[in-house]
Amino acid sequence: MDWRLSKGVTRMVLVRHGQPVEEARGRCYGRLDVGLSSSGRVQAEHAARFLAEAPLSRVYASPLRRAVESAAPLAQLKGMAVDTEAAFQELDFGLCEGLTYAEVEKRYPEVFAEWMARPTRVRFPEGESYPELRERVSSAARALRSRHSGETFVLVSHGGVNRTLLAEALGLPDAHLFRLEQGYSAVNIIDFHGDEPVVKLMNLTFG
């Protein structure tokens, strides 16, 4: 990977967290604060090694444990702190947090039906809708790009956050969000020429 930047280009590197612990799988875990599995820690190490030569200005992360733990190997490798930003947390599933999909269907059948039919339009009880996530993530990302104009920075967060920023860069409508795959520890790169985004890399994973 050529990490050199042309003058005036701002590079945003998006990394999804690694695989979470077993008890999170098959459940709604947006704000559920779970850590990484042993496999997830290995994935985070691989992502850190891939980014080792990048001239990073900062390493940011969602404050949720799985994101902070995924950012830690890279920050350590670069001799940096991990700066957490609350705006980059995953979607808030509200009362559905921690439930299995079957439990959501049983307790909130209308919400579940809407979720399956229109996942980017449903609003979870006492939680968020996708448009609410999109607004907070996009606004916070613009602030980071302004703060690091002409530099390279990393944001370690979640599948929903990465898809949002990639979809925005590619001009995809909300309904097409899930056409974008984001594996555990996926690395994505978006270069901004002023306000014009160019997606350089998407969904590079490490097993």
Side-chain angles (χ1 to χ4, degrees), residues 15-38:
V15 183
R16 188 187 179 194
H17 63 78
Q19 183 188 70
V21 290
E22 179 68 33
E23 52 264 36
R25 291 172 223 168
R27 296 183 180 274
C28 298
Y29 68 103
R31 299 296 176 86
L32 194 66
D33 203 10
V34 296
L36 295 181
S37 67
S38 57

Side-chain angles (χ1 to χ4, degrees), residues 74-91:
L74 176 61
Q76 184 176 16
L77 192 63
K78 304 296 281 187
M80 295 178 170
V82 176
D83 295 298
T84 58
E85 293 276 345
F88 297 111
Q89 294 181 84
E90 184 59 284
L91 183 75

Side-chain angles (χ1 to χ4, degrees), residues 5 11 20 27 44 48 54 60 64 76 91 102 108 112 122 133 140-141 145 147 156 162 166 190 196:
L5 284 182
R11 175 166 289 167
R27 296 183 180 274
Y60 293 98
L64 296 171
Q76 184 176 16
L91 183 75
Y108 307 103
F112 185 82
V122 63
L133 177 146
R145 296 201 309 268
R147 191 183 306 167
V156 183
N162 287 3
L166 288 164
I190 308 174
E196 190 66 26

Side-chain angles (χ1 to χ4, degrees), residues 8 71 112 132 161:
F112 185 82
E132 290 169 321
V161 173

Side-chain angles (χ1 to χ4, degrees), residues 139-203:
S139 176
R142 285 193 296 271
L144 289 190
R145 296 201 309 268
S146 178
R147 191 183 306 167
H148 295 289
S149 180
E151 300 174 346
T152 299
F153 66 92
V154 171
L155 170 61
V156 183
S157 62
H158 308 276
V161 173
N162 287 3
R163 286 187 179 97
T164 295
L165 296 173
L166 288 164
E168 182 178 65
L170 294 167
L172 293 181
D174 289 357
H176 295 168
L177 187 74
F178 293 101
R179 293 183 180 184
L180 299 172
E181 177 68 16
Q182 282 295 285
Y184 291 129
S185 76
V187 175
N188 312 268
I189 298 173
I190 308 174
D191 283 356
F192 289 86
H193 301 256
D195 290 327
E196 190 66 26
V198 175
V199 177
K200 300 280 288 186
L201 181 70
M202 188 163 62
N203 197 41

Side-chain angles (χ1 to χ4, degrees), residues 65-155:
R65 281 177 56 203
R66 58 192 184 272
V68 174
E69 289 178 6
S70 295
L74 176 61
Q76 184 176 16
L77 192 63
K78 304 296 281 187
M80 295 178 170
V82 176
D83 295 298
T84 58
E85 293 276 345
F88 297 111
Q89 294 181 84
E90 184 59 284
L91 183 75
D92 186 350
F93 287 98
L95 296 178
C96 297
E97 286 285 351
L99 300 182
T100 65
Y101 300 112
E103 288 169 339
V104 175
E105 184 176 20
K106 182 177 180 180
R107 297 187 195 184
Y108 307 103
E110 292 182 1
V111 171
F112 185 82
E114 179 76 4
W115 186 18
M116 294 300 105
R118 289 172 287 275
T120 58
R121 291 174 57 184
V122 63
R123 191 177 196 283
F124 291 91
E126 298 187 19
E128 281 185 303
S129 66
Y130 174 69
E132 290 169 321
L133 177 146
R134 172 167 40 77
E135 178 58 32
R136 65 173 165 82
V137 166
S138 296
S139 176
R142 285 193 296 271
L144 289 190
R145 296 201 309 268
S146 178
R147 191 183 306 167
H148 295 289
S149 180
E151 300 174 346
T152 299
F153 66 92
V154 171
L155 170 61

